[in-house]
Amino acid sequence: MSEADADVAGLSELDRAAVNAFQGGFPVVERPFEPAAAALRERGIDVTAAELLERIQDLDEEGVLSRFGALVNAEEIGGTATLVAMHAPEERFDEVAETVNAHREVAHNYEREHPHLNMWFVVSVADEDRVREVLDEIEAETGQETYNLPKQQEFRVEAKFLLDGPIPDGDVDLSDLGPDVTPTDQQTLTPEERDLVVEIQGGLPVTATPYADVADAIGAETAWVVETIKRFEQEGKVRRVGVVPNHYALGYTENGMTVWDVPDELVAEVGPAVASLPFVTHCYHRPRHEGVWPYNFFAMTHGRSEAESDRRIEQVRDRMAEYWDVDEDDWDSLFSTRILKKTGIRLDERAAANTE
């Protein structure tokens, strides 16, 4: 057994096929498990719709999946989110973490390996002006300066975690099934769309008829739910529909945030090049902070062992080196050592503030 298999030995061939196949491209039709199972059968996995549904239910209950459903693109729904770094003194670290986490606007918070900026959190708000207010409150309460690192350009957000086994490239895409829909350029939400977003933000019911169940929950027609989620996919309000693995449960325990001081004139070229590496899950251009934070480019990688993580970071560096002479002082890798808070981006207020 390879090092990549060590932490997921209990998963069957069907489990691995389902996880690999449907981290995106899951069908948006009234009974989606039927075409999903048919697609697996075409690839040599003998499974019925009922059997596939049962396995997804089990994987969800066992914690192999974080959830099943539509991955909502919060940025397109309304409001804003930003990444923030700060220093928490070692002797007060837990106290500072508790203070930061007490803010309902803080969605994620991680302890990361860095000699100074050891706390990294995400602030999610309905009104962009509220970001500065939250950071001022945190600074006043902790006595520590915060460093706001808003996304200036997104090159990739595609956190897919594939396993050894069937369909290793995760190339099943059934998103073309279902009704024909026409994207709109509407930036705001209708009250009905807001209710849908709030209902599905935590996932879809793992049932034979998930879209019908959502429709029942919000008092809508099933056809409207199917059409709207499908349209949201095309408009970018939904990034993808499918299973969302718990990457720790799949053995992806090495979470490395590589940061780079890319020459400003090269960012537009370097961004797509690094984003094209299949193991890079997030890739952004962010601001520097003079005298404290010299890096303007972030690339997140995940590995199933320290050795695999190191290899992947080296591949990012090799790609960077195709564009400029990368010096040791031009980059760093910050590994997460502890999850301090992880509630997800709450969309209720953001969606409500962006409703007609």
Side-chain angles (χ1 to χ4, degrees):
M1 182 181 299
S2 70
E3 65 180 12
D5 276 342
D7 292 330
V8 290
L11 297 186
S12 68
E13 181 183 52
L14 172 57
D15 295 338
R16 292 166 181 266
V19 169
N20 282 354
F22 294 122
Q23 290 184 46
F26 197 77
V28 185
V29 296
E30 187 167 350
R31 302 188 71 85
F33 283 91
E34 293 175 2
L40 293 186
R41 290 195 298 272
E42 291 173 1
R43 290 160 174 80
I45 306 300
D46 186 17
V47 63
T48 66
E51 290 167 343
L52 177 59
L53 169 60
E54 183 179 6
R55 288 312 303 147
I56 297 297
Q57 289 172 334
D58 290 345
L59 293 172
D60 187 50
E61 291 172 3
E62 293 163 6
V64 175
L65 303 181
S66 296
R67 59 192 174 92
F68 160 77
L71 187 62
V72 177
N73 184 353
E75 185 176 320
E76 295 295 323
I77 296 301
T80 192
T82 189
L83 178 67
V84 182
M86 69 181 295
H87 172 67
E90 183 177 352
E91 68 277 8
R92 295 178 51 227
F93 190 92
D94 290 344
E95 170 203 333
V96 171
E98 185 176 349
T99 300
V100 171
N101 292 348
H103 288 263
R104 60 193 304 275
E105 297 89 350
V106 173
H108 310 297
N109 191 3
Y110 288 84
E111 180 181 14
R112 290 191 178 276
E113 294 176 342
H114 188 267
H116 183 63
L117 300 179
N118 56 354
M119 188 174 292
W120 293 76
F121 55 93
V122 172
V123 173
S124 172
V125 292
D127 181 354
E128 187 173 356
D129 293 340
R130 178 66 180 141
V131 171
R132 189 62 258 170
E133 294 173 0
V134 171
L135 298 188
D136 286 346
E137 291 167 9
I138 288 173
E139 290 183 353
E141 293 162 0
T142 64
Q144 299 299 131
E145 190 169 356
T146 61
Y147 300 93
N148 190 13
L149 297 161
K151 177 174 57 180
Q152 296 181 320
Q153 189 170 0
E154 175 185 299
F155 295 105
R156 182 174 185 171
V157 179
E158 191 174 16
K160 292 188 176 181
F161 302 95
L162 301 176
L163 298 169
D164 294 341
I167 319 174
D169 296 326
D171 58 352
V172 178
D173 185 359
L174 303 178
S175 59
D176 60 328
L177 299 181
D180 291 330
V181 296
T182 303
T184 73
D185 57 2
Q186 190 73 22
Q187 299 300 309
T188 57
L189 302 172
T190 66
E192 295 77 16
E193 290 171 342
R194 174 204 60 211
D195 292 346
L196 175 61
V197 167
V198 172
E199 181 66 24
I200 68 174
Q201 66 173 322
L204 296 171
V206 191
T207 66
T209 56
Y211 307 110
D213 294 341
V214 168
D216 286 343
I218 64 175
E221 296 293 327
T222 300
W224 179 84
V225 168
V226 168
E227 291 169 3
T228 304
I229 291 177
K230 190 171 175 61
R231 174 169 58 82
F232 277 4
E233 265 197 288
Q234 296 188 13
E235 293 172 350
K237 293 182 177 69
V238 166
R239 292 189 184 274
R240 58 185 181 271
V241 179
V243 300
V244 180
N246 174 353
H247 61 273
Y248 292 103
L250 297 189
Y252 284 88
T253 56
E254 297 296 317
N255 172 349
M257 184 174 74
T258 65
V259 292
W260 308 80
D261 182 11
V262 178
D264 291 334
E265 67 275 11
L266 295 177
V267 169
E269 291 182 78
V270 168
V274 172
S276 70
L277 295 170
F279 51 80
V280 171
T281 60
H282 300 74
C283 189
Y284 303 111
H285 176 207
R286 298 187 185 274
R288 303 178 179 91
H289 282 271
E290 187 174 355
V292 178
W293 186 252
Y295 309 109
N296 63 339
F297 191 93
F298 288 60
M300 182 71 74
T301 66
H302 294 77
R304 290 165 290 185
S305 68
E306 185 175 345
E308 181 178 63
S309 183
D310 288 344
R311 287 194 301 270
R312 291 181 167 183
I313 291 171
E314 191 62 32
Q315 286 178 266
V316 175
R317 177 171 178 158
D318 290 344
R319 182 59 55 91
M320 290 283 188
E322 295 175 12
Y323 293 86
W324 95 100
D325 187 14
V326 182
D327 188 76
E328 284 298 322
D329 295 333
D330 290 337
W331 72 286
D332 199 357
S333 184
L334 282 65
F335 285 88
S336 63
T337 54
R338 191 165 26 142
I339 300 173
L340 305 171
K341 183 179 183 180
K342 192 170 185 179
T343 59
I345 302 293
R346 296 188 180 93
L347 292 178
D348 308 47
E349 292 181 7
R350 290 174 62 169
N354 193 37
T355 300
E356 297 176 328

